[in-house]
Amino acid sequence: MPARNTVQRSIIEDELRRLANHPTADEVYEAVRAEHPSIGKATVYRTLNLLSDEGEIGRVRINNGADRFDHQAFAHYHVRCVECGRVDDVMIALLDEGVNEAAAEASGYQILGHTLQFDGVCPVCRAGEKNDGASTA
Amino acid sequence: MPARNTVQRSIIEDELRRLANHPTADEVYEAVRAEHPSIGKATVYRTLNLLSDEGEIGRVRINNGADRFDHQAFAHYHVRCVECGRVDDVMIALLDEGVNEAAAEASGYQILGHTLQFDGVCPVCRAGEKNDGASTA
DNA sequence: CTTAATGCAAAATCTTTGCACCGGA
DNA sequence: TCCGGTGCAAAGATTTTGCATTAAG
């Protein structure tokens, strides 16, 4: 396959693992640039795309705009805070295969997989709005 | 509740219902503009956002770029064709509430809801690539 | 009459691409 | 050597915003 083992590539992969959470491509870029100012944004985007295509890393598409990348390649679910936009892992059992089969029957599609994303309020934001109502930033 | 009942608003809502499928904001805009050339793109985007915030319509975020809007407000799932990008409804039973509860426990979030999106190949695209050779990795 | 909603275009986001040069295998 | 990778900036795609004007209530 492709993949030439460049320095940039491991730097980016490293940084992603270090950020550990679910950074956007731009956040990875900023982090990388902090230590290696000469690395270009395009390289970060290209590399992240490459890695996720290869299955080395995961990509989480969130309702808030930017894609986020996940250092964990194996399938798992995510939850997004509707208040602050943070994204965390949801380590619950994967849905039964029967769900995919039911979807195939209901839609006529050949189902390749699924994505389950939860929406909620993270512990921090819950604490911050003890009261309720008006979400003031 | 809607704030002000403008003509544009019902035109846009109407058009969305007529398109029926899962058009992007831009597709709605084009359709609306065909009959009402004076309506601006920003109004379409603003109205679509407004309606989905109000829960009048649904919003589906897809992996291929633009958001799509759904004239059906009630919760249901979607499948996206990885070949052509088409989006269709998947009318299967909603996941058990237990899933949300499990997610809440696993993440510490207060879970408000979830989104389940399937990826697959639509009937049309499957027909177009008859020979598959079972090489689906 | 009041003021939210509209329309237009410019601005803001996020991501990809063209091109010349560089470095890994 | 050879050609994919890189860096830079400009181009693309999508969505939002500022502001004067219009129209709903």
Side-chain angles (χ1 to χ4, degrees), chain B residues 36-65:
Chain B
H36 308 269
S38 67
I39 292 185
K41 179 185 287 194
T43 299
V44 173
Y45 274 84
R46 272 187 294 231
T47 303
L48 253 17
N49 280 343
L50 192 60
L51 290 172
S52 70
D53 281 354
E54 286 172 1
E56 295 281 318
I57 65 176
R59 172 195 294 242
V60 196
R61 187 149 244 255
I62 297 301
N63 211 336
N64 215 16

Side-chain angles (χ1 to χ4, degrees), chain A residues 40-56:
Chain A
K41 178 185 288 194
T43 299
V44 174
Y45 274 85
R46 272 187 293 232
T47 303
L48 252 17
N49 281 343
L50 192 59
L51 290 172
S52 70
D53 282 353
E54 287 172 0
E56 294 281 317

Side-chain angles (χ1 to χ4, degrees), chain B residues 43-93:
Chain B
T43 299
V44 173
Y45 274 84
R46 272 187 294 231
T47 303
L48 253 17
N49 280 343
L50 192 60
L51 290 172
S52 70
D53 281 354
E54 286 172 1
E56 295 281 318
I57 65 176
R59 172 195 294 242
V60 196
R61 187 149 244 255
I62 297 301
N63 211 336
N64 215 16
D67 278 12
R68 288 163 180 282
F69 293 88
D70 193 330
H71 63 123
Q72 295 183 97
F74 65 87
H76 62 283
Y77 304 131
H78 295 99
V79 58
R80 160 181 154 273
C81 179
V82 298
E83 303 279 328
C84 68
R86 186 196 323 282
V87 172
D88 280 296
D89 293 319
V90 176
M91 293 319 204
I92 59 176

Side-chain angles (χ1 to χ4, degrees), chain A residues 55-73:
Chain A
E56 294 281 317
I57 65 176
R59 172 195 295 243
V60 196
R61 188 148 247 257
I62 296 300
N63 211 333
N64 215 16
D67 278 12
R68 287 163 180 282
F69 292 87
D70 194 330
H71 63 126
Q72 295 182 97

